[in-house]
C-alpha cells in the first residue's frame, strides 16, 4: 500500500476529454463516492492521481486482488515486544488523513470485502472498526474512489449491484485521436508526425477488439512505444515490442499485426 | 509425333507469352491466416469473409506472342461486396516475391477503404490517395509497386491516339493519385491495372447464389480448402421450359462455348475426377438455373415434411421467436416457430460398450473436478489449525477485545459452484457427411453427447442436452434429449442414440430458445455450448450474411443476458466467420472430429476452474 503522495508537487499530466475534472471536483465537494469504469490503460489511475494533486489531497491507492480481506483494508493487530499494536489499513489511513482512497480494479476483491465500504458510501460516512471498537467518522475532505474494467471478464466478475448503487459513476474510454496525440506529445516528446502515425495505428488496432484481440491497445502501450522510439529504437521494432507482442501470443496474429504496423512504420 | 511436337510448341509459346513471374509467385493460402485480421484493421467490414476471384476477360490489346499462344485474355482483380472480399488466388506480377506479397496487403487496404464517388479510374485513384494519406507506411510500398507496374504498361507514344489518352490518364493517376484525372472516352479497353479494384465486380445477387450452392454441399467428401475459397462469376438464367433437352447431332464444339447456357440431356453419373471443376475454371461465367433435379446424385434432400407417423413426436404447438433482419437492422418479432420434440424410436438403452472405457475415465476426471474444494480459513472445526487466526486471537485477547468463540480451524468444505450447462447440437443434414475413419459427423456428435453427458452427470452440475434442425422459419425443430429437470439415465441415453441428421441449420432461433431455457436455471454461471459443423443456413433467404448476422445477434442477446455462449465446430473454414459470431475467445475449431469428446470435456473443465 502506497505512501500518501505529497500534496505540494505539481499535478501529474492529465489531458481532460470532457467535464470529468469538474465532475470529480463537484463529487468531492458534495462528499460523494465515485466509481470509474473503463478499459485497461485508458488513464483512470492517472486521472485520480491528477485530481488528488489538484485538490491537494493525499492519495492512497490499493490494487485489489482475490485475497484482499477486510482486515487488509481496515487494519489489524500486530504482535511486537510482547504486546499487540494496532496497525491501520490503507482505508483507515486515508480516512484519518482526510485524503482519497482509490481502490483500483475493485471487482477483483472478494465480495465480502467490498461490504466494509458500505457504511462509508452512504450519508453516515463512517467506518466501524470492530477489533478496536472504534467508530471513525470521515472528515469532509475524505473521498472514496473505485475503478474497474467492465469489458474484462464481465460475466464472471461484476460488482454487486448493491455496492455499485452507492457510487456516482463515470465511464472512461480511450481518448479521442487529437487528445491521444496531445498525451503522446506531452508524455514522450516524440515528433508530431510519428505521434500521429501511432495514433492512427491505435485506431486500426482497436477495430480488432472482440474479433481478433481480447483487449484494445491502451494509451499506455502507445506511450511505451513512443518512449522506445525516443530511445533510438526503430519504429517498427518499438511497435512490435510495445504493441504487437503484448496483444497476442499467436504467431499468425502477430504476423498480421505486423502487417498493420507496416502500413504506418514500414521496415526499410 | 505431331501431337508431341505440338504439345512442346504449345508449352513453349505459352511460357514465352506469359507475363507473370511464376518463380516469385505468392499464393493466397500463404496469407489467408493473416488476411481477415488485416482487412478488419484497415476498416473493412468485420462480417466479410475471404474468397478468391476468378479471371474475367478484359478485352484489352494483347501482345503478338499472347495472341499466338491464345493466352492473356483474362485477368484476376480484387474487389469487395456485401458478402466477402475477393483476392486473386495467386500473385506473380512482380519478379520479387516480397513485392507480390505486399501487393496482397495493398489490395486489401484498398478494398477496405470507403468507396469514393466517380468513374472507375477516379474511384480507384481517390481510394489510393486516401489510403496513402492515412497510412504513410504504405506509401513506400506503393512507390515500389507503381514503379514496377509502369515498366510493364504500354508506352502511350506507340498507341493510337484514343488509347494513348486513356493510358496516359491511367499512368498519371497511378503516379499522382491525389490529382483528379479526366477519363477520356474509351474505344478499346485499356490493359487492366492489377493495383486497382475490379472495375465491374459481379453483383451481390450472383455471389449470393454461388454461396447458396456452396453452403448446401452435403456430399461425403469435403471439397478441398482451395476450391471452397474459389468464387465463380455467375448469372441467373431462366430454366429452359422444354421438357427434354436438345439432341446434339453435330459436333458441339463448333457451335458452343462452355459457358453458354443450353439445356442438354446429360448423364447424371458423376465421376470422381474434377472435370467439371476444371471446366468451371475455364468459364467466364457460370449459368445457374433453378431446376427440379439436382445435378449431384449425392444430394439427398427431403424437402417435404415427413409423414406424421414417421416424424419425431412434437411437444405442443410450438413457440414463436423473433429473428434479426440485418438488411433492415431490426428484430422481426414472432418470425420463427420453434417446435420442441422428442426423437422418434427412442428406447431406453445403456451406454454402448465401445464408449465404456472412455466414459469411465471421463467420469473419474469429472468426479475429481466436481467438489473443487478450496482451503477455507475461519472454520469452527477442521483438520488444520489456522495459525494466523490463533495469533490474531491471542493478540486480541491480550489487547482486551477478544471475540467470545473464535473459529480457529482451516477446512476444505465442498466448493460452492453453481453452474448450469446447456449443450445444443447441430443435427442438420450436413452432419451426415463423412469424416474419415470415425464415420459421419452425426456419429461423432452422438458419441460426444453421450460421453459429455456421462462426464457432466459425474460432476454434479445441472445440464441439459438439445439438438436442432430447421425447415424454413415455420419449423425450427428442437430435439429435447435431456431437460434440466430430468435425470440422466437410460431413457435419455436412448434419445441421444436415436438422433438422426435432417434438414437445415437455422441457428439463431435455436440459440434464442436455448438461452430462454438456460435463463430459467438457478445458477450463478450459465454456459451455452453449441456444437456445429458449419455455417447457419436454411432453404429461404437464411444463408450467407443473413444467417450469420441473425446468429450473431442471438449470441449477443445471450451474452447480454449474462450467459456464456461458446461454439465447438468441426468446420475448418470456420475461422472466416466464427470470430464475427462468437468473438476471438468464444469458439474452438476441432481439427479432427474424433477428438470432439475429449475437447468438450477439457473445455468444460477449463470453464469450471
Amino acid at each position: 500500500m502506497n505512501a500518501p503522495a505529497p500534496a505540494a508537487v505539481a499535478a501529474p499530466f492529465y489531458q481532460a476529454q470532457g467535464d470529468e475534472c469538474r465532475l470529480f471536483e463537484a463529487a468531492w465537494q458534495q462528499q460523494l463516492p465515485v466509481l470509474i469504469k473503463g478499459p485497461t490503460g485508458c488513464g483512470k489511475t492517472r486521472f485520480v492521481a491528477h485530481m488528488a494533486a489538484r485538490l491537494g489531497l493525499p492519495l492512497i491507492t490499493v490494487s485489489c486482488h482475490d485475497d484482499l480481506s477486510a482486515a487488509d483494508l481496515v487494519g489489524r493487530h500486530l504482535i511486537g515486544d510482547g504486546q499487540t499494536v494496532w496497525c491501520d489499513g490503507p482505508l483507515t489511513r486515508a480516512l484519518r488523513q482526510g485524503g482519497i482512497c482509490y481502490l483500483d480494479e475493485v471487482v477483483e476483491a472478494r465480495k465480502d470485502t467490498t461490504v466494509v465500504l458500505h457504511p462509508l458510501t452512504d450519508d453516515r460516512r463512517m467506518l466501524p472498526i470492530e477489533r478496536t471498537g472504534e467508530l471513525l467518522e470521515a472528515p469532509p475532505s475524505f473521498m472514496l474512489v473505485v475503478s474497474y474494467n467492465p469489458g474484462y471478464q464481465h460475466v464472471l466478475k461484476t460488482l454487486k449491484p448493491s455496492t455499485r448503487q452507492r457510487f456516482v459513476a463515470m465511464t472512461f474510454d480511450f481518448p479521442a485521436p487529437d487528445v491521444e496525440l496531445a498525451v503522446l506529445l506531452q508524455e514522450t516528446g516524440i515528433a508530431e508526425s510519428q505521434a500521429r502515425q501511432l495514433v492512427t495505428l491505435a485506431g486500426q488496432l482497436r477495430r480488432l477488439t472482440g474479433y481478433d484481440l481480447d483487449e484494445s491497445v491502451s494509451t499506455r502501450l502507445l506511450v511505451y512505444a513512443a518512449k522506445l522510439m525516443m530511445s533510438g529504437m526503430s519504429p517498427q521494432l518499438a511497435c512490435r515490442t510495445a504493441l504487437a507482442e503484448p496483444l497476442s501470443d499467436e504467431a499468425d496474429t502477430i504476423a498480421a499485426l505486423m502487417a498493420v504496423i507496416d502500413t504506418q512504420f514500414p521496415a526499410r | 509425333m505431331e501431337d508431341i511436337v505440338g504439345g512442346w510448341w504449345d508449352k513453349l509459346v505459352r511460357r514465352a507469352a506469359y507475363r507473370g513471374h511464376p518463380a516469385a509467385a505468392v499464393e493466397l493460402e500463404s496469407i489467408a491466416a493473416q488476411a481477415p485480421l488485416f482487412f478488419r484493421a484497415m476498416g473493412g467490414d468485420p462480417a466479410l469473409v475471404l474468397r478468391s476471384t476468378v479471371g474475367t476477360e478484359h478485352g484489352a490489346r494483347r501482345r503478338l506472342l499472347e495472341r499466338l499462344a491464345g493466352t492473356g485474355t483474362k485477368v484476376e482483380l480484387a474487389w469487395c461486396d456485401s458478402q466477402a472480399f475477393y483476392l486473386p488466388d495467386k500473385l506473380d506480377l512482380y519478379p520479387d516475391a516480397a513485392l507480390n506479397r505486399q501487393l496482397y496487403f495493398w489490395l486489401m487496404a484498398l478494398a477496405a477503404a470507403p468507396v469514393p464517388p466517380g468513374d472507375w479510374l477516379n474511384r480507384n485513384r481517390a481510394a489510393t490517395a486516401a489510403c496513402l494519406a492515412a497510412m504513410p507506411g504504405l506509401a513506400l510500398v506503393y512507390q515500389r509497386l507503381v514503379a514496377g507496374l509502369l515498366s510493364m504498361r504500354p508506352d502511350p507514344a506507340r498507341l493510337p491516339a484514343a488509347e494513348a489518352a486513356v493510358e496516359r490518364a491511367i499512368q498519371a493517376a497511378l503516379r499522382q493519385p491525389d490529382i483528379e484525372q479526366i477519363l477520356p472516352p474509351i474505344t478499346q479497353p485499356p490493359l487492366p491495372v492489377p493495383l486497382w479494384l475490379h472495375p465491374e465486380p459481379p453483383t451481390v445477387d450472383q455471389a449470393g447464389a454461388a454461396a447458396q450452392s456452396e453452403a448446401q454441399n452435403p456430399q461425403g467428401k469435403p471439397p478441398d480448402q482451395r476450391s471452397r475459397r474459389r468464387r465463380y462469376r455467375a448469372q441467373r438464367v431462366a430454366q429452359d421450359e422444354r421438357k427434354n433437352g436438345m439432341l446434339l447431332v453435330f459436333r458441339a464444339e463448333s457451335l458452343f462455348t462452355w459457358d453458354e447456357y443450353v439445356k442438354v440431356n446429360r448423364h447424371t453419373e458423376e465421376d470422381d475426377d474434377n472435370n467439371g471443376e476444371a471446366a468451371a475454371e475455364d468459364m467466364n461465367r457460370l449459368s445457374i438455373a433453378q431446376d427440379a433435379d439436382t445435378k449431384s446424385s449425392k444430394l439427398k434432400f427431403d424437402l417435404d415434411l415427413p409423414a406424421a407417423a414417421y416424424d419425431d413426436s412434437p411437444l405442443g404447438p410450438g413457440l414463436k421467436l423473433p429473428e434479426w433482419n440485418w438488411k433492415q437492422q431490426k428484430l422481426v418479432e414472432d418470425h420463427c416457430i420453434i417446435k420442441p420434440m422428442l426423437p422418434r424410436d427412442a428406447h431406453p438403452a445403456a451406454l454402448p460398450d465401445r464408449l465404456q472405457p472412455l466414459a469411465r475415465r471421463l467420469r473419474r476426471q469429472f468426479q475429481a473436478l466436481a467438489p473443487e474444494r478450496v482451503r477455507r480459513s475461519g472454520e469452527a472445526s477442521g483438520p488444520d489449525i489456522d495459525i494466523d487466526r490463533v495469533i490474531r486471537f491471542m493478540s486480541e485477547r491480550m489487547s482486551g477485545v477478544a471475540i467470545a468463540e473464535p473459529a480457529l480451524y482451516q477446512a476444505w468444505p465442498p466448493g460452492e459452484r453453481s453452474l448450469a450447462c446447456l449443450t445444443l447440437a447441430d443435427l442438420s443434414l450436413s452432419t451426415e457427411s463423412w469424416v474419415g475413419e470415425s464415420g459421419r459427423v452425426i456419429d461423432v456428435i452422438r458419441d460426444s453427447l453421450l460421453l459429455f453427458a456421462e462426464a457432466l452427470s459425474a460432476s454434479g452440475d445441472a445440464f441439459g442436452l438439445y439438438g436442432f434442425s430447421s425447415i424454413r422459419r415455420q419449423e425450427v425443430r428442437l430435439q429435447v434429449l435431456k431437460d434440466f429437470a430430468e435425470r440422466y439415465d437410460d431413457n435419455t441415453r436412448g434419445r441421444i442414440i436415436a438422433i438422426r441428421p435432417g434438414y437445415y441449420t437455422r441457428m439463431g432461433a435455436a440459440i434464442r430458445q436455448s438461452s430462454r431455457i438456460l435463463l430459467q436455471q438457478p445458477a450463478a454461471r450459465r454456459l451455452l455450448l453449441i456444437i456445429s459443423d458449419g455455417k447457419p443456413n436454411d432453404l429461404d433467404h437464411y444463408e450467407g450474411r443473413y444467417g450469420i448476422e441473425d446468429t450473431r445477434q442471438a449470441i449477443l442477446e445471450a451474452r447480454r443476458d449474462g450467459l456464456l455462449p461458446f461454439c465447438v465446430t468441426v468446420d475448418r473454414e470456420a475461422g472466416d466467420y466464427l470470430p464475427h459470431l462468437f468473438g476471438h475467445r468464444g469458439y474452438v475449431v476441432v481439427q479432427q472430429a474424433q477428438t470432439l469428446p475429449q475437447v468438450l470435456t477439457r473445455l468444460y473443465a477449463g470453464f469450471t476452474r
Side-chain angles (χ1 to χ4, degrees):
Chain A
M1 318 300 161
N2 306 358
V9 295
F13 171 71
Y14 175 77
Q15 180 72 50
Q17 291 190 67
D19 281 344
E20 68 267 33
C21 295
R22 228 157 44 84
L23 264 171
F24 191 95
E25 207 168 328
W28 175 69
Q29 277 162 358
Q30 296 300 319
Q31 308 191 345
L32 303 174
V34 168
L35 161 68
I36 303 173
K37 298 182 265 187
T40 310
C42 71
K44 300 186 292 276
T45 304
R46 175 65 71 91
F47 168 67
V48 177
H50 171 81
M51 288 312 296
R54 208 161 119 167
L55 298 172
L57 298 171
L59 171 68
I60 295 182
T61 305
V62 183
S63 301
C64 298
H65 52 83
D66 351 347
D67 275 347
L68 191 79
S69 66
D72 289 332
L73 276 183
V74 176
R76 54 166 54 90
H77 280 106
L78 298 176
I79 303 171
D81 290 342
Q83 54 176 348
T84 57
V85 188
W86 172 257
C87 182
D88 279 344
L91 182 65
T92 316
R93 211 159 62 230
L95 206 68
R96 290 194 207 275
Q97 289 173 355
I100 295 179
C101 181
Y102 174 49
L103 304 180
D104 197 4
E105 289 300 341
V106 70
V107 281
E108 296 289 337
R110 291 193 335 223
K111 290 202 171 87
D112 54 329
T113 307
T114 40
V115 172
V116 305
L117 303 174
H118 285 190
L120 264 177
T121 49
D122 50 31
D123 54 356
R124 291 172 285 168
R125 278 175 58 91
M126 46 180 59
L127 179 69
I129 307 176
E130 282 173 32
R131 294 183 200 292
T132 58
E134 243 182 308
L135 186 64
L136 269 181
E137 201 172 325
S141 65
F142 170 79
M143 186 179 193
L144 184 65
V145 182
V146 301
S147 78
Y148 78 107
N149 175 1
Y152 178 63
Q153 287 192 334
H154 70 113
V155 179
L156 304 182
K157 284 191 173 166
T158 47
L159 213 51
K160 257 166 75 159
S162 64
T163 307
R164 205 164 47 192
Q165 283 228 9
R166 295 166 172 270
F167 292 85
V168 292
M170 309 158 82
T171 297
F172 274 44
D173 204 347
F174 295 117
D178 51 335
V179 176
E180 200 156 47
L181 185 74
V183 171
L184 282 183
L185 294 176
Q186 167 72 31
E187 287 277 297
T188 63
I190 192 174
E192 189 175 335
S193 64
Q194 285 189 320
R196 210 172 278 282
Q197 279 161 282
L198 274 174
V199 171
T200 317
L201 181 61
Q204 291 171 333
L205 296 176
R206 281 172 193 159
R207 291 186 186 128
L208 303 174
T209 317
Y211 291 103
D212 308 278
L213 301 174
D214 291 338
E215 285 225 334
S216 287
V217 181
S218 60
T219 308
R220 175 164 44 221
L221 283 183
L222 287 189
V223 170
Y224 289 175
K227 281 185 173 166
L228 288 178
M229 279 154 72
M230 286 303 285
S231 73
M233 247 171 156
S234 82
Q236 240 232 349
L237 187 58
C239 289
R240 182 184 188 106
T241 323
L243 303 179
E245 298 284 355
L247 285 175
S248 179
D249 297 325
E250 288 158 38
D252 270 336
T253 309
I254 292 179
L257 292 178
M258 287 313 294
V260 178
I261 289 169
D262 276 347
T263 66
Q264 296 298 335
F265 303 103
R268 301 273 157 181
Chain B
M1 187 63 193
E2 271 175 30
D3 270 7
I4 295 170
V5 174
W8 286 345
W9 163 249
D10 187 54
K11 223 182 228 172
L12 193 75
V13 73
R14 273 171 175 267
R15 195 178 298 162
Y18 190 64
R19 286 178 194 246
H21 302 87
V26 176
E27 304 249 338
L28 182 58
E29 271 318 302
S30 69
I31 62 145
Q34 300 161 24
L37 188 149
F38 184 81
F39 183 73
R40 285 193 270 272
M42 293 299 106
D45 188 336
L48 303 189
V49 296
L50 173 67
R51 292 260 175 268
S52 76
T53 91
V54 284
T56 33
E57 274 190 30
H58 52 74
R61 197 179 285 279
R62 290 183 290 156
R63 291 183 302 180
L64 177 68
L65 258 175
E66 285 175 325
R67 290 203 298 267
L68 212 60
T71 58
T73 55
K74 288 185 183 175
V75 63
E76 293 196 359
L77 295 171
W79 89 90
C80 158
D81 62 21
S82 68
Q83 302 283 336
F85 60 104
Y86 306 86
L87 293 173
D89 214 13
K90 187 180 76 176
L91 281 179
D92 59 359
L93 183 69
Y94 296 100
D96 177 10
L99 217 50
N100 286 323
R101 197 180 124 85
Q102 283 171 339
L103 178 54
Y104 267 128
F105 287 99
W106 166 253
L107 286 174
M108 275 189 276
L110 200 62
V115 182
D119 55 49
W120 152 78
L121 183 132
N122 279 303
R123 241 182 5 246
N124 276 300
R125 178 198 60 73
T128 303
C131 279
L132 294 182
M135 290 165 270
L138 280 180
L140 203 72
V141 173
Y142 182 75
Q143 279 167 18
R144 285 189 207 133
L145 292 174
V146 167
L149 185 70
L150 287 176
S151 68
M152 294 176 216
R153 291 199 68 87
D155 181 1
R158 293 187 178 184
L159 291 171
E163 286 175 52
V166 176
E167 186 57 37
R168 273 195 202 97
I170 291 176
Q171 295 198 6
L174 279 169
R175 277 199 194 94
Q176 290 175 308
D178 42 350
I179 298 172
E180 192 165 345
Q181 299 291 331
I182 295 157
L183 183 64
I186 292 174
T187 49
Q188 163 96 11
L191 196 68
V193 187
L195 261 55
W196 289 351
L197 302 181
H198 204 304
E200 294 170 331
T203 60
V204 179
D205 182 42
Q206 290 151 5
Q212 190 169 12
S213 64
E214 185 183 69
Q216 296 171 4
N217 181 10
Q219 292 154 8
K221 191 181 65 172
D224 68 76
Q225 194 70 9
R226 192 193 168 102
S227 61
R228 287 186 77 167
R229 237 190 250 292
R230 202 110 178 117
R231 176 54 50 96
Y232 298 95
R233 285 194 90 174
Q235 59 180 355
R236 273 192 202 282
V237 294
Q239 160 74 358
D240 194 331
E241 291 302 328
R242 279 172 294 183
K243 194 170 178 204
N244 282 312
M246 62 189 291
L247 198 63
L248 292 180
V249 290
F250 46 85
R251 288 178 66 86
E253 61 267 35
S254 62
L255 232 186
F256 301 111
T257 59
W258 266 114
D259 49 352
E260 209 162 326
Y261 171 65
V262 166
K263 181 167 175 146
V264 287
N265 282 335
R266 286 188 207 272
H267 289 291
T268 51
E269 281 167 26
E270 284 176 89
D271 41 8
D272 277 340
D273 57 20
N274 283 337
N275 282 344
E277 209 170 308
E281 198 80 359
D282 278 347
M283 290 191 196
N284 290 322
R285 206 174 262 275
L286 301 185
S287 298
I288 294 170
Q290 289 290 335
D291 194 339
D293 307 321
T294 47
K295 197 238 171 194
S296 172
S297 51
K298 288 167 194 155
L299 281 172
K300 280 183 278 189
F301 284 118
D302 191 6
L303 295 184
D304 291 315
L305 295 178
Y310 297 98
D311 198 10
D312 300 316
S313 335
L315 302 165
L319 306 155
K320 286 185 176 167
L321 284 178
E323 185 164 286
W324 178 257
N325 186 327
W326 76 277
K327 283 189 178 149
Q328 295 169 3
Q329 288 287 306
K330 68 167 190 190
L331 209 59
V332 186
E333 287 300 329
D334 298 340
H335 193 71
C336 301
I337 298 177
I338 197 143
K339 295 190 172 161
M341 27 184 94
L342 287 173
R344 181 177 56 94
D345 297 338
H347 306 293
L351 190 70
D353 286 344
R354 62 194 165 80
L355 295 178
Q356 290 285 6
L358 189 53
R360 253 198 308 277
R361 211 174 73 214
L362 288 173
R363 262 201 303 270
R364 230 181 3 252
Q365 283 173 5
F366 268 65
Q367 268 159 6
L369 178 99
E372 209 187 42
R373 286 158 192 265
V374 272
R375 179 192 285 256
R376 275 223 302 232
S377 300
E379 293 291 314
S381 62
D384 283 334
I385 292 172
D386 188 343
I387 301 290
D388 277 355
R389 278 174 194 258
V390 171
I391 294 173
R392 201 181 305 153
F393 171 60
M394 303 284 278
S395 59
E396 277 168 353
R397 196 170 58 182
M398 284 166 77
S399 65
V401 282
I403 319 156
E405 269 184 51
L408 296 176
Y409 293 90
Q410 285 188 334
W412 290 265
E416 309 157 18
R417 189 170 72 205
S418 158
L419 190 101
C421 172
L422 189 148
T423 310
L424 180 68
D426 179 0
L427 303 180
S428 64
L429 194 65
S430 55
T431 56
E432 201 172 30
S433 58
W434 287 79
V435 279
E437 287 170 11
S438 50
R440 300 171 303 167
V441 175
I442 189 75
D443 300 327
V444 176
I445 290 181
R446 186 180 293 126
D447 287 358
S448 305
L449 286 175
L450 282 169
L451 288 172
F452 194 44
E454 292 292 330
L456 281 174
S457 61
S459 79
D461 290 326
F463 71 102
L465 303 172
Y466 295 82
F468 77 99
S469 58
S470 68
I471 314 159
R472 296 208 174 85
R473 64 192 178 93
Q474 284 88 359
E475 178 128 350
V476 182
R477 305 155 70 91
L478 191 74
Q479 306 267 357
V480 184
L481 304 174
K482 183 198 168 293
D483 210 341
F484 274 93
E486 279 173 303
R487 269 165 51 89
Y488 178 68
D489 53 18
D490 283 356
N491 279 325
T492 39
R493 284 189 197 102
R495 278 188 220 149
I496 298 174
I497 291 170
I499 58 171
R500 298 183 309 271
Y503 319 113
Y504 301 90
T505 325
R506 207 173 198 95
M507 211 183 263
I511 290 175
R512 284 194 183 92
Q513 180 58 20
S514 305
S515 304
R516 287 184 182 186
I517 297 170
L518 196 50
L519 275 173
Q520 291 163 2
Q521 302 312 312
R525 286 160 73 185
R526 303 184 186 100
L527 178 64
L528 174 59
L529 204 59
I530 300 153
I531 307 174
S532 173
D533 75 324
K535 277 186 206 170
N537 84 303
D538 203 342
L539 276 174
D540 45 12
H541 52 268
Y542 201 89
E543 41 87 16
R545 182 90 186 260
Y546 188 99
I548 285 187
E549 291 292 333
D550 175 51
T551 308
R552 174 177 153 83
Q553 206 61 32
I555 300 288
L556 290 177
E557 287 161 25
R559 206 164 273 156
R560 205 178 48 218
D561 290 337
L563 306 181
L564 286 167
F566 194 90
C567 181
V568 181
T569 184
V570 290
D571 179 13
R572 282 172 204 201
E573 221 191 31
D576 282 353
Y577 61 93
L578 280 187
H580 182 60
L581 290 182
F582 290 90
H584 176 48
R585 287 280 159 96
Y587 70 97
V588 62
V589 181
V590 180
Q591 294 294 339
Q592 284 173 313
Q594 54 270 39
T595 60
L596 195 56
Q598 286 96 319
V599 170
L600 275 182
T601 38
R602 206 176 315 131
L603 264 175
Y604 190 80
F607 277 120
T608 52
R609 207 163 284 141

